[in-house]
Amino acid sequence: MKRFFRLDRRGFLIGAAGVALAGCDRISESDQAQDVFDGVNELSYKAQRLLIGADRLAPEFAATEISRNFRANGSIDPKAPSYRELVRDQFTSWKLNVGGLVEKARDYSLDELRALPSRTQITRHDCVEGWSCIGKWKGVLLSTLLDEVRVKPQARYVAFYCADRLGADEAASNPNEAESDQETDPDEQPPQTGAALDDPSTHSYETIDLIDARHPQTILAYDMNDRVLPVAHGAPLRLRVERQLGYKMAKYIMRIELVESFAGIGRGKGGYWEDRGYDWYAGI
């Protein structure tokens, strides 16, 4: 009997992304090549938006399918003194600021977020490195917060500013990869002191468009697998944008800003990893 190999769309895109990004450092050395990839990424973004639509759901799973060991991606223990203080007081003093191009910016405590209507979903986290895990997430719909602050018409993207600094935090899930992304010029590297680690301009960030921000599965998760979100997975709050690869799902969120463009944030590519050669749109 003949056996046929079946590759689903998500699996194909994850594998292709892993192969492509394995050589992103070499590719990024060529401005011409980077321009080509930027164009391909934009074409992929438009094609997927056209084919998938705005509200198509990512697959959801049964509780029996939850992964016993869910790997943590990116940073797992931010070293910024301000974040360590939040961990010590169990995030009771933490506040999420939502501002930028909105009519009414406001701050939310963790208790206030928990008091809002929530969504629970069991979904698969697909990493660009090729591994996947299934987990249960509970949190507030990002669209709920956007409605409360009343987004201005000129806003196009949502930016998430985080407490971790992947190049400086000693504990990362892939230390070799994190180290390779540090600047090589020592004059450009801030000293590894409390003040430098607390500088928001050196922290990781991420952006998504308003289509994904208002998707019915896009949540700001504060619980994982029926427990409070652990530090390794982004406490107190992490983004779940289920139709994209894992590196888009910002962890340790401190602030959210509505912006017209992300060109003036970081290196202008839309995220920590995107600034280092990854695609801005990582749809699967």
Side-chain angles (χ1 to χ4, degrees):
M1 179 182 295
K2 292 183 178 179
R3 300 181 66 183
F4 295 92
F5 176 71
R6 181 180 179 184
L7 181 65
D8 64 26
R9 180 176 173 276
R10 289 171 72 94
F12 172 78
L13 288 171
I14 295 164
V19 171
L21 293 175
C24 67
D25 288 340
R26 293 188 298 274
I27 291 170
S28 63
E29 293 174 0
S30 166
D31 291 339
Q32 184 176 7
Q34 189 60 55
D35 288 343
V36 171
F37 280 118
D38 287 345
V40 171
N41 187 42
E42 179 67 17
L43 180 61
S44 173
Y45 167 74
K46 291 180 178 179
Q48 291 197 60
R49 283 286 183 244
L50 179 63
L51 294 172
I52 297 174
D55 294 326
R56 181 175 176 179
L57 300 179
E60 297 195 20
F61 300 84
T64 55
E65 298 176 276
I66 293 174
S67 300
R68 180 173 298 180
N69 296 308
F70 194 113
R71 291 179 59 178
N73 66 306
S75 295
I76 61 173
D77 191 20
K79 301 303 182 185
S82 59
Y83 180 78
R84 303 312 308 168
E85 182 62 31
L86 290 172
V87 173
R88 282 190 289 271
D89 76 3
Q90 298 182 323
F91 301 102
T92 56
S93 61
W94 173 87
K95 295 278 189 179
L96 174 70
N97 176 261
V98 184
L101 295 175
V102 300
E103 297 291 345
K104 187 180 180 181
R106 64 163 294 181
D107 294 332
Y108 294 88
S109 69
L110 200 52
D111 285 342
E112 288 172 326
L113 291 178
R114 287 182 174 276
L116 293 171
S118 65
R119 174 180 169 83
T120 300
Q121 57 201 34
I122 300 176
T123 52
R124 191 174 73 201
H125 180 103
D126 292 313
C127 180
V128 71
E129 295 175 344
W131 57 266
S132 298
C133 290
I134 294 173
K136 182 178 182 180
W137 308 94
K138 179 181 179 181
V140 59
L141 284 165
L142 178 55
S143 60
T144 297
L145 302 191
L146 299 184
D147 289 341
E148 288 201 348
V149 298
R150 301 199 300 272
V151 178
K152 292 183 177 180
Q154 61 266 43
R156 296 182 59 200
Y157 304 99
V158 184
F160 304 87
Y161 300 94
C162 309
D164 60 321
R165 185 168 178 252
L166 283 163
D169 291 335
E170 295 175 357
S173 63
N174 188 343
N176 292 329
E177 182 174 279
E179 288 295 326
S180 69
D181 283 316
Q182 294 189 54
E183 300 291 345
T184 56
D185 184 350
D187 293 331
E188 295 181 3
Q189 270 295 298
Q192 304 306 302
T193 64
L197 291 173
D198 262 338
D199 180 2
S201 68
T202 67
H203 292 186
S204 64
Y205 75 99
E206 192 51 74
T207 62
I208 59 174
D209 65 15
L210 286 175
I211 295 176
D212 273 329
R214 291 192 175 279
H215 187 270
Q217 289 174 313
T218 298
I219 65 173
L220 298 172
Y222 43 69
D223 285 351
M224 177 185 180
N225 294 340
D226 295 320
R227 296 184 177 183
V228 172
L229 186 69
V231 167
H233 288 281
L237 201 68
R238 75 169 295 164
L239 175 66
R240 295 300 306 176
V241 53
E242 303 296 353
R243 299 194 305 176
Q244 297 212 41
L245 289 170
Y247 69 84
K248 294 293 294 186
M249 303 191 197
K251 300 165 66 175
Y252 314 108
I253 298 173
M254 299 289 112
R255 181 167 67 92
I256 294 175
E257 181 183 19
L258 278 294
V259 297
E260 185 174 4
S261 168
F262 49 71
I265 307 173
R267 299 178 186 175
K269 297 296 185 180
Y272 176 90
W273 293 112
E274 293 89 327
D275 285 344
R276 288 152 179 81
Y278 284 36
D279 287 342
W280 173 75
Y281 184 68
I284 51 177

